[in-house]
Amino acid sequence: MNQPRTARAQTRSRGLGILILLLCMMAAACSSKAKTAAKTSATPSPTGSESQVPALTATVVASPPPSPSPSPSPVARRPSPSPTHAVVPPPSPTHAVVPPSPTAVSSAISLPVAGTYTYGLSGTYQTPLLGSTQNYPAGAQLPITFSNKGPQGGGTEIQASASSSTDNATTTTTWIFQPTRVVVTDSTLTLAGLANYDCTFSPPPEILPNPIVAGALPGSSWSTAQCSGDVAVTVQGASTIAAAGKTWDVWTVHTVLHYQAQSSVNVTVTSTTTFAPSLGTVITSDATTTGTVAGSPFQNHQVTTLLSAP
């Protein structure tokens, strides 16, 4: 790919923001394909959900105070059938414990319904060449359109496209939701009229277990002529959050992803997302991206929250 001119590099850096969000979702949110994932905090026992158990209050049964002893009787007395001391049942927890909810153990990931999911977008992005940091405009939104492509690779192929007038770019990412996991197979970043960044992930890295459970996934890496990288995913726990006018059971997923495209893009994305297994996608995302574009350093911080879903 030819070295971009300054104006193009600036646009490319903004376009990279969308790629970052998708990669972020790829590591957690996009697993929403079955998805998101979840859910957040959530659900993944995987994310280590906090389970509580019905409070069991220890009960001590004390025998009534002894009554005055009767005068000795010449008749032999039978031993009393009950003990003369206080009866204390086995000790029970003194703290409130609540039975774990089904989602605290594991959550099967649903396929996301085809349609557009709109996210509120806030945070900052930096132009690599100029080094200036800018805020996303108030009310900025990021629409992501999901489509079900049908059976593929031992599962169902799900594709999502994200576009933003702020970034002047479109990112398309494809996953396969298999019975035991969700993997990402390829992505394309298109900068309107300027350039395309295509990447086929081989072998496809796992971004979520299915069903979701708390714990760290084995590290995954890929390398092709177009791109290379690695990703580490940890499902931290389950929780419940409110967004888009509803309450969602979610799993919190922490992801660290390193991505390199040819010699132009070299980035590391650290993200924490809440994935809703019932929705098959991410509810919220907080991601920080650092790296270089065409040799110029940059850093972005993007925060997204689901505003509406099909």
Side-chain angles (χ1 to χ4, degrees), residues 115-161:
T116 299
Y117 298 69
T118 301
Y119 291 81
L121 175 63
S122 62
T124 61
Y125 63 95
Q126 183 179 28
T127 301
L129 293 183
L130 300 181
S132 61
T133 298
Q134 303 176 59
N135 295 322
Y136 282 101
Q141 296 184 355
L142 179 66
I144 300 178
T145 301
F146 285 89
S147 58
N148 186 322
K149 311 302 288 185
Q152 186 67 251
T156 300
E157 185 176 62
I158 298 295
Q159 191 173 81
S161 293

Side-chain angles (χ1 to χ4, degrees), residues 14-226:
R14 295 201 308 274
L16 181 62
I18 288 186
L19 174 62
I20 292 323
L21 175 63
L22 266 290
L23 289 176
C24 227
M25 293 177 63
M26 178 182 81
C30 286
S31 31
S32 52
K33 316 342 172 184
K35 240 170 285 70
T36 228
K39 288 193 160 232
T40 206
S41 102
T43 288
S45 158
T47 70
S49 78
E50 301 178 353
S51 19
Q52 306 177 334
V53 182
L56 300 177
T57 304
T59 304
V60 178
V61 179
S63 58
S67 57
S69 301
S71 306
S73 166
V75 180
R77 300 175 56 190
R78 294 181 181 178
S80 171
S82 59
T84 59
H85 57 280
V87 178
V88 182
S92 56
T94 57
H95 58 282
V97 195
V98 177
S101 70
T103 56
V105 178
S106 66
S107 298
I109 300 175
S110 299
L111 294 176
V113 174
T116 299
Y117 298 69
T118 301
Y119 291 81
L121 175 63
S122 62
T124 61
Y125 63 95
Q126 183 179 28
T127 301
L129 293 183
L130 300 181
S132 61
T133 298
Q134 303 176 59
N135 295 322
Y136 282 101
Q141 296 184 355
L142 179 66
I144 300 178
T145 301
F146 285 89
S147 58
N148 186 322
K149 311 302 288 185
Q152 186 67 251
T156 300
E157 185 176 62
I158 298 295
Q159 191 173 81
S161 293
S163 60
S164 168
S165 56
T166 301
D167 297 274
N168 193 34
T170 299
T171 299
T172 300
T173 303
T174 304
W175 304 268
I176 295 180
F177 288 74
Q178 299 173 342
T180 60
R181 61 180 188 160
V182 175
V183 299
V184 60
T185 59
D186 58 76
S187 68
T188 299
L189 169 63
T190 301
L191 299 169
L194 298 178
N196 289 334
Y197 283 111
D198 299 323
C199 181
T200 296
F201 300 89
S202 182
E206 177 180 357
I207 56 174
L208 276 182
N210 188 17
I212 295 180
V213 293
L217 276 63
S220 298
S221 62
W222 67 93
S223 180
T224 67
Q226 302 165 311

